[in-house]
Structures are given as C-alpha cells and as structure tokens.
C-alpha cells in the first residue's frame, strides 16, 4: 500500500503526487501529516527549506477543506513572490484530481486586478505575501471570516524581512477559532513570540536539530588574502566544472561588480538584488532555473525564498553581516534530500565569524585549500573527456561530412585524435593556469617568511623549486605513457645532462613539472629545441609563481575561460543585472560553450 494512503491521504491526491514522483513521505511529512490531519491543533514545525514542507501542510489542507464551498478556508503566508507562486503551483498539482479546487496566489509586483478577480470568483486557499495581502484586506476585497487554517511558512524569513506587523494585522482579520501552523528553519525569539501570542499549546515538531543546518550540507572555508578573493573564487568555480551555484555578496554593488566581472571572463552569471524591477528579477530567475545561468550572484534579501532544486554550491563570497543569515544562505543547496556544499571565502580577520557560525549550525567547517592551477587543469581535462563521451551526435547533419573528415584524419591514430580533441580546450586552461600562484593564505605567508622562496619541505604541493634547482614545465605527461623513470631518461638524453642533475619529477596527466639544477637549465632548453614527441612539439617553460602575484584577479578581463563570448558579439548587453544573454548554450551538465571563440591573447603573467 502507498505510504501516503497509510497516512490518511485520499486516492486522488496520492495519484497526483505519485505523478510528481513522491514515493514515500519525507521525514517532516511523516511526522506532521498525522498531526495536522486532525485539524485540532496549532502546530510549530522546525524544518529547513527543501525538506518537503509544502506537502507536509498542503496535503492535510486538501483533506480538511470543504471544496463544495467557495469561500477562503485556508490562508498560507510566505515571504516572497517566488515561494508564493511555488506553493500555489504545488497545491494545484497535489489537487489535480480533486474537483472544484481553487487556489489563488496573491503577491506584490503583479497586477492586483487579476488577483482581485480571481478572489471574487471564489477561492478556498489563498497563498500570499504579507504586503499584498494587507493591501487586499484594506480594500475589503476578501472575507476571511471562514478561514479555519493559517499557515505561516518560512516564518523566520518573514520576520527577517520586517513583516512582523503585517502578519499581526493579517492574523487579526481571521477568526480566533482558526488553527495556526507555523513552519520555520530557525527559532529566534521573534518566531517564538508569534507562537506564544497566536497559538494555544501548539504541537511542536523538529526535523533535524533545532536551529541547525541541513545535515546534507558540507561547510567549507578557504583562507585567503582579501585581495585574492576574486581569483580564488574563480579558481574554485573552475575546479568544479559542473557547478550550479548561488553566490552571496553583502551589497548590491558587490553583486553587480562580481556578476559583471564574471560575464567579462566568460562565465554565465547574473546578479539578483533589491534594485531590480519585478520583471527583471523574474527574467534573471527564469534564466537561472533554466540553467542558462551557471552562477546567480545575490544579496541576502534578494535571495530569500529562492527555491531552485539541484543548486550544487552556495558560495559566500562575503560572509553575512548577521551570522544567523548563514543558515538561510546555505539552505539554498541540498534541497529535497540532495547533498550540497556551502563554501566561504574568508580572510584572517573573519575566522572568528566562522567559529560563531559553527556554533549556530552545530557542525564544524572543513578548511579547504584553494586548488592549484594544475589541479584545476586536471579537473577540467576530465570534464572535457566526459563531455566528449556524452556529446549528442546529430547523425543526419554530420554524416555528409564524414568521408571528408575521415580522409583528412586518416594518418592520425585514434589516440592522436583523442589527444587533439581534448587539447582543443584543455590547452587554454593549461596556458592560463600554468604559472598561476598559490592563493592559500598559509602558503603565501610562509613564502614571505622565507623571503620569497618557499622550501618544498613545508608543502608537498609546492610550486617552487628546491634550493639550487629550477622547476620546469613540459607539455608531456603520464597520458603520453611516461613513467617517472622514462621521463628522467627522456630529459637526460635530450638535454645531455646526468640523472643526478634532475630533482623532483612531478608527472601529471598531460604535463610534467620537473626540477633541474640551476646550472643545467640552459642545456635543457637547448636540448629540447625542435624536439618532437609523437608528432607533438615538446615545450619546456620555467614554472614558478613569483611572477604571478594575484594576477588571476587582475587579468580577469582576458578570456580566462570558455564562456560564450559569441553572445556578447550579438550586441546583448548587461545592465543592472538583467542582461539578456542567449539561453541556448547549455550543455549536458555543463554550462560553457567550449567551442566558443575564447580570446587567445590571454596574459601569461
Ligand atoms: P519543499 O520543501 O516543499 O519546497 O519541497 C522541496 C522539493 O522536494 C520539491 O521539489 C518537492 O516537489 C519535493 N518533495 C517534497 N516531498 C517529496 C516526497 N515525499 N518525495 C519526493 N519529493 C518530494
């Protein structure tokens, strides 16, 4: 038997939610539905967003409401227009097979006449944001005298947004006999006060730990210098090629600056903040939901109530002023039982804030290292390989060209073709990151202590050479079937130097870092001049970070990565966070158009 039927939900609704792939109740649904179905109690549910709260109160409402009557019997108040629309839509979906159900969504920023017309036609469930609801009450356009249930959804967020007084006024319009169901992710004093003032002996239920974040969220932080923040942020984004994230900033100016810098650098990003018109906001949100945007840069207030599934990362570009807001931010990921990462970029001074947030979420942060350029390259390479494997092939379109293509490739082995294909995009990352500095604060501190040199004792991933050695880069690696021994031989033979002159060899996928005694460096350059390996010209360069500083941050304007630069040439322009860029450049799991014409003249640090 379907577990929802067991809980007392009627067949029609069970059929509808089965179509929505609800197989079994979520923990909050399992606990709340039996209590709410009695219709006798006030109720306080402490649960994070994304835990299935809407059905937890929505399914019981559908059982308790008399749909033969055409007057409002339930009022759901929620903080934002997005959530309001989402709840109304969900309720309609749950009620798909029940006759005569009428749900109206009442929210600001939209035509009030349409909403009034719907109310006049007769509704049983009103889902509303507080401001617009008060407006309608003020016009005497709604009769709440038969309301039996009031749901306060995301109560903490409503109070955060300053709706306390509006809520009081709205509640005073409803009968004393109504039952109030309050849902909140956190239980600050103000929410507790609502429970005390408006509820009688409420049934309390907690899913997860009180005031803590969702257990499926991992919390990471990166310790960096403030001036390296943007560079570190981009590195991290590049390290997660499949990222679909919300980036939090403290001010709207910051959101705009970051979004603009990201767009310049070829990322699909846009900003969401309080200065946008509702129309602009809707457009940005639509593009984010459609995944035409990979990164949504938002302020706390603008992001409230955003309900987008599958957000992989919440990025705290700046930590929130109020540490309590951290929970709201991180709750945008790991929805509906999924996992997610909330990561924060912090400087030394902000470490105390991390400790305070740990107390609130009841979970320690994991300190992470900003990935090294080589690590980013490896990650990107495998993302490219994955993409090549999974690309959709339009047989009809490509088949006519195949004979010509095959002919022009006939002298290349399968391996050669694979390497070339992967290198098409990979080389750009390689080039961009080959001398990229270590952006971790610890690393930079120890370097300055050492007077500009960091010995390899203190960091195995050191990108500087051992004393007396120079660290060199070569564009061949393990995929070219070199072992360390082979590589040593290859270097010694070509450079005509003894094995003892070669220090550490760091063999990577398609490239290698190796150390050579300072005195022998020229021989290596000379020896490898004009050398080919399997048809590829061998390239040797000095590796090192001293020249770099935080250039990544500064050179953000020059084609740092894929992106869909073509869009910009179509005259589509960003302004005020509402740029209209083409949405069709989405790819399987990724967002960048790797075939896009990225600027080649990237700075080389
Ligand atoms: P909510 O917390 O109500 O916003 O729900 C978060 C997401 O989980 C929504 O996409 C719901 O459709 C989905 N969801 C809610 N309950 C269930 C369930 N029992 N099984 C599967 N998905 C669910």
């Amino acid at each position: 038997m379907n577990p929802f039927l067991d809980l007392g939900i009627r067949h029609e609704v069970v059929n509808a939610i089965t179509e929505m792939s609800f197989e079994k109740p979520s923990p909050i649904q399992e606990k709340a539905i039996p209590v709410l179905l009695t219709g006798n109690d006030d109720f306080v549910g402490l649960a994070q967003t994304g835990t299935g709260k809407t059905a937890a109160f929505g399914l019981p409402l559908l059982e308790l409401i008399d749909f033969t009557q055409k007057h409002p019997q339930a009022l759901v108040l929620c903080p934002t227009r997005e959530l309001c629309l989402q709840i109304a839509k969900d309720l309609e979906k749950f009620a798909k097979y029940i006759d005569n159900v009428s749900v109206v969504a009442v929210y600001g920023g939209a035509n009030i006449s349409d909403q009034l017309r719907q109310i006049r036609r007769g509704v049983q469930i009103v889902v509303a944001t507080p401001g617009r609801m008060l407006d309608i009450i003020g016009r005497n356009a709604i009769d709440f005298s038969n309301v039996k249930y009031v749901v306060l959804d995301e109560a903490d967020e409503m109070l955060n947004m300053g709706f306390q007084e509006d809520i009081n006024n709205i509640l005073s319009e409803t009968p004393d006999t109504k039952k109030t169901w309050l849902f909140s992710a956190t239980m600050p004093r103000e929410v507790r006060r609502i429970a005390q003032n408006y509820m009688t002996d409420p049934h309390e239920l907690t899913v997860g730990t009180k005031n803590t974040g969702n257990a499926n969220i991992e919390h990471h932080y990166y310790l960096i210098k403030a001036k390296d923040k943007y560079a570190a942020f981009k590195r991290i984004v590049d390290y997660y090629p499949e990222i679909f994230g919300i980036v939090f900033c403290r001010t709207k100016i910051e959101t705009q600056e970051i979004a603009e810098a990201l767009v310049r650098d070829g990322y699909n990003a846009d900003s969401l903040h309080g200065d946008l018109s509702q129309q602009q906001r809707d457009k940005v949100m639509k593009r984010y939901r459609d995944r035409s945007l990979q990164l949504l840069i938002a302020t706390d207030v603008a992001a409230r109530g955003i309900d987008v599934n599958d957000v992989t990362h919440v990025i705290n570009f700046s930590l929130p002023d109020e540490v309590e807001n951290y929970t709201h931010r991180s709750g945008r990921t790991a929805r509906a039982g999924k996992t997610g990462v909330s990561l924060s970029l912090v400087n030394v001074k902000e470490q105390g804030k991390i400790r305070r947030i740990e107390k609130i979420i009841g979970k320690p942060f994991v300190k992470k290292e900003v990935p090294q350029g080589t690590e980013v390259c490896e990650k990107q390479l495998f993302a490219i390989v994955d993409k090549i494997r999974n690309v959709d092939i339009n047989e009809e379109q490509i088949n006519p060209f195949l004979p010509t293509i095959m002919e022009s490739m006939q002298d290349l082995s399968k391996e050669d073709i694979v390497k070339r294909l992967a290198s098409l995009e990979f080389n750009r990352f390689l080039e961009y990151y080959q001398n990229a500095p270590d952006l971790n604060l610890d690393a930079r501190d120890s370097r300055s202590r050492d007077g500009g040199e960091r010995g390899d004792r203190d960091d195995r991933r050191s990108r500087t050479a051992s004393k007396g050695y120079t660290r060199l880069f070569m564009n061949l690696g393990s995929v070219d079937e070199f072992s360390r021994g082979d590589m040593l031989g290859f270097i010694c033979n070509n450079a005509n130097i003894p094995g003892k002159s070669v220090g550490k060899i760091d063999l990577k996928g398609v490239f290698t870092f190796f150390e050579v005694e300072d005195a022998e460096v020229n021989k290596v350059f000379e020896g490898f001049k004009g050398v080919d390996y399997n048809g590829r010209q061998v390239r040797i360069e000095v590796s090192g970070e001293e020249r770099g500083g935080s250039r990544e941050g500064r050179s953000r304007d020059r084609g740092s990565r894929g992106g869909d630069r073509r869009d910009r040439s179509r005259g589509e322009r960003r302004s005020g966070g509402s740029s209209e860029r083409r949405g069709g450049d989405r790819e399987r799991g990724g967002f960048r158009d790797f075939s896009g014409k990225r600027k080649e003249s990237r700075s080389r640090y």
Side-chain angles (χ1 to χ4, degrees):
M1 174 137 142
N2 184 297
F4 285 101
L5 286 174
D6 275 344
L7 286 178
I9 304 300
R10 69 176 90 173
H11 270 104
E12 289 88 337
V13 175
V14 172
N15 288 345
I17 60 175
T18 304
E19 285 176 13
M20 296 169 73
S21 313
F22 288 23
E23 283 167 14
K24 60 179 190 354
S26 69
I28 180 96
Q29 291 161 3
E30 198 163 29
K31 290 186 183 171
I33 290 174
V35 178
L36 299 181
L37 267 183
T38 67
N40 294 330
D41 288 316
D42 284 334
F43 175 89
V44 173
L46 261 159
Q48 299 296 312
T49 52
T51 50
K53 278 184 295 142
T54 316
F57 65 76
L59 303 186
L61 279 185
L62 295 182
E63 298 301 322
L64 293 167
I65 286 171
D66 178 359
F67 291 106
T68 61
Q69 304 294 315
K70 276 278 186 179
H71 47 246
Q73 296 163 57
L75 167 64
V76 181
L77 288 178
C78 60
T80 62
R81 167 194 164 104
E82 276 78 24
L83 192 57
C84 178
L85 284 165
Q86 184 69 42
I87 294 172
K89 206 168 73 198
D90 282 352
L91 292 176
E92 277 167 357
K93 280 197 205 156
F94 302 156
K96 183 175 169 191
Y97 297 117
I98 308 179
D99 291 335
N100 303 317
V101 175
S102 178
V103 180
V104 64
V106 162
Y107 49 88
N111 189 332
I112 196 166
S113 323
D114 291 344
Q115 295 172 359
L116 292 171
R117 205 171 307 121
Q118 285 183 62
I119 292 169
R120 270 200 301 277
R121 260 191 248 133
V123 297
Q124 295 105 359
I125 306 176
V126 180
V127 186
T129 53
R132 177 56 65 92
M133 192 69 258
L134 259 192
D135 190 348
I136 290 178
I137 290 173
R139 293 168 187 241
N140 278 329
I142 198 155
D143 173 12
F144 277 153
S145 62
N146 289 302
V147 164
K148 295 196 175 64
Y149 306 98
V150 173
V151 180
L152 302 175
D153 193 20
E154 304 212 349
D156 49 353
E157 296 224 18
M158 285 201 280
L159 297 185
N160 263 337
M161 292 170 78
F163 286 135
Q164 171 84 66
E165 212 179 309
D166 290 358
I167 294 172
N168 293 346
N169 290 334
I170 295 167
L171 289 178
S172 68
E173 292 292 313
T174 58
D176 292 341
T177 51
K178 63 160 187 294
K179 299 300 169 210
T180 306
W181 303 346
L182 179 150
F183 289 85
S184 192
T186 57
M187 193 41 104
R189 230 176 303 126
E190 297 77 10
V191 176
R192 178 70 55 204
R193 209 172 298 136
I194 291 201
Q196 280 159 1
N197 292 350
Y198 293 100
M199 298 186 192
T200 322
D201 197 14
H203 190 109
E204 277 205 33
L205 223 167
T206 303
V207 176
T209 325
K210 252 181 208 176
N211 282 347
T212 67
N214 178 333
N216 291 338
I217 304 174
E218 279 183 42
H219 302 270
H220 299 168
Y221 77 99
Y222 295 82
L223 198 55
I224 43 151
K225 278 197 171 161
K227 73 181 174 63
D228 290 335
K229 208 183 213 185
Y230 181 75
F233 163 62
K234 276 202 323 184
R235 261 262 192 119
I236 294 164
V237 169
D238 282 350
Y239 188 69
Y240 294 108
E242 311 281 306
I243 197 167
F244 179 53
I246 301 185
V247 182
F248 281 94
C249 296
R250 219 178 281 136
T251 62
K252 63 172 189 278
I253 307 243
E254 197 178 40
T255 63
Q256 264 174 343
E257 281 175 359
I258 303 295
E260 272 164 29
L262 285 170
V263 169
R264 261 202 312 272
D265 285 349
Y267 297 75
N268 291 326
D270 210 337
S271 61
L272 192 72
H273 55 74
D275 273 3
L276 302 186
S277 70
Q278 192 61 53
Q279 209 183 8
Q280 286 172 319
R281 194 184 149 90
D282 288 348
K283 274 189 183 163
V284 174
M285 279 314 296
K286 180 170 186 314
R287 288 165 59 227
Y288 187 58
R289 281 210 176 83
D290 291 349
R291 300 197 166 217
S292 304
L293 291 180
Q294 179 183 20
L295 296 168
L296 182 70
I297 324 295
T299 55
D300 286 284
V301 172
R304 282 200 178 124
I306 287 181
D307 176 26
V308 177
N309 282 340
D310 301 326
V311 170
T312 60
H313 290 76
V314 163
I315 300 171
N316 296 285
F317 189 83
S318 304
L319 284 173
D321 286 333
E322 306 288 332
V323 282
E324 288 74 17
N325 271 338
Y326 180 87
T327 324
H328 295 304
R329 289 181 173 193
S330 54
R332 302 293 144 216
T333 183
R335 298 173 72 78
K338 309 245 171 61
T339 54
V341 176
S342 172
L343 58 88
S344 304
L345 298 165
V346 300
N347 59 43
V348 178
K349 285 192 219 141
E350 292 173 312
Q351 287 183 97
K353 226 176 195 178
I354 291 289
R355 301 285 95 85
R356 273 185 283 144
I357 295 171
E358 282 178 334
K359 289 212 179 87
I360 291 176
I361 59 175
K363 211 175 164 182
F365 273 71
V366 179
K367 181 170 179 291
K368 290 279 182 177
E369 301 277 305
V370 179
Q372 302 296 331
T374 50
E375 293 169 310
V376 173
C377 289
E378 265 190 62
K379 268 292 202 75
Q380 289 288 348
L381 176 63
F382 289 108
I384 294 164
V385 170
D386 203 31
K387 193 171 309 172
I388 293 173
R389 267 207 92 86
N390 293 299
V391 67
D392 286 333
I393 296 174
N394 186 330
E395 302 279 353
E396 207 182 316
Q397 296 288 329
I398 202 158
N399 280 347
F401 301 103
L402 265 189
T404 323
I405 297 173
M406 296 305 267
E407 200 186 324
S408 73
M409 301 260 181
Q410 67 183 348
D411 57 325
L412 297 176
S413 68
K414 176 180 166 189
E415 198 183 329
D416 284 334
I417 295 173
V418 168
K419 274 191 218 163
R420 280 172 163 74
L421 207 53
S423 299
L424 265 182
E425 187 58 29
F426 179 60
N427 285 350
R428 303 178 201 278
F429 278 96
L430 207 54
E431 199 178 324
Y432 179 64
Y433 276 115
Q434 68 173 293
N435 289 323
D438 186 335
L439 296 176
N440 292 291
L441 185 70
D442 313 356
R444 315 193 97 214
D445 279 356
S446 59
R447 194 180 54 203
S448 60
R449 270 202 308 278
D450 291 345
E453 275 289 41
R454 184 159 48 102
D456 57 349
R457 283 164 276 110
D458 54 331
D459 182 350
R460 267 182 299 124
R461 283 176 301 143
S462 161
R463 308 201 65 236
T464 50
S466 310
K467 203 157 188 286
Y469 285 81
T470 299
R471 193 164 192 255
L472 300 176
F473 162 93
M474 184 194 296
N475 62 337
L476 298 175
S478 56
V479 300
D480 301 289
E481 291 177 4
F482 277 99
S483 66
R484 242 188 223 99
D486 297 337
M487 182 52 80
L488 180 64
F490 186 62
I491 296 165
C492 294
N493 286 340
N494 282 287
N496 200 15
I497 55 173
K500 67 177 177 50
S501 299
V502 180
K504 259 190 336 187
I505 296 179
D506 195 2
L507 204 64
K508 300 283 184 189
V510 292
F511 54 92
T512 300
F513 289 111
F514 62 100
E515 293 178 347
V516 172
E517 280 175 351
D518 293 340
E520 307 284 24
V521 171
N522 282 342
K523 283 195 190 161
V524 177
F525 279 108
E526 284 302 313
F528 276 101
K529 254 188 199 156
V531 171
D532 271 18
Y533 182 81
N534 281 350
R536 252 167 94 195
Q537 194 182 351
V538 180
R539 197 155 50 86
I540 308 284
E541 286 175 20
V542 176
S543 153
E545 53 193 13
E546 283 66 35
R547 287 167 298 161
S550 62
R551 289 280 181 78
E552 259 173 294
R554 277 178 266 133
S555 65
R556 53 167 96 144
D557 55 329
R558 287 289 76 94
S560 57
R561 55 181 255 164
D564 43 11
R565 300 187 156 268
R566 289 166 304 164
D567 294 349
R568 299 183 60 71
S569 64
R570 294 179 181 196
E572 290 152 344
R573 221 171 52 82
R574 287 193 89 261
S575 76
S578 59
S579 68
E580 269 309 287
R581 300 174 77 210
R582 188 172 57 95
D585 49 9
R586 184 162 32 115
E587 296 168 48
R588 193 203 68 83
F591 305 86
R592 276 167 269 147
D593 182 346
F594 283 99
S595 64
K597 289 181 190 56
R598 196 192 315 208
K599 281 205 172 115
E600 304 287 344
S601 60
R602 186 174 311 167
S603 67
R604 298 281 297 275
Y605 312 110

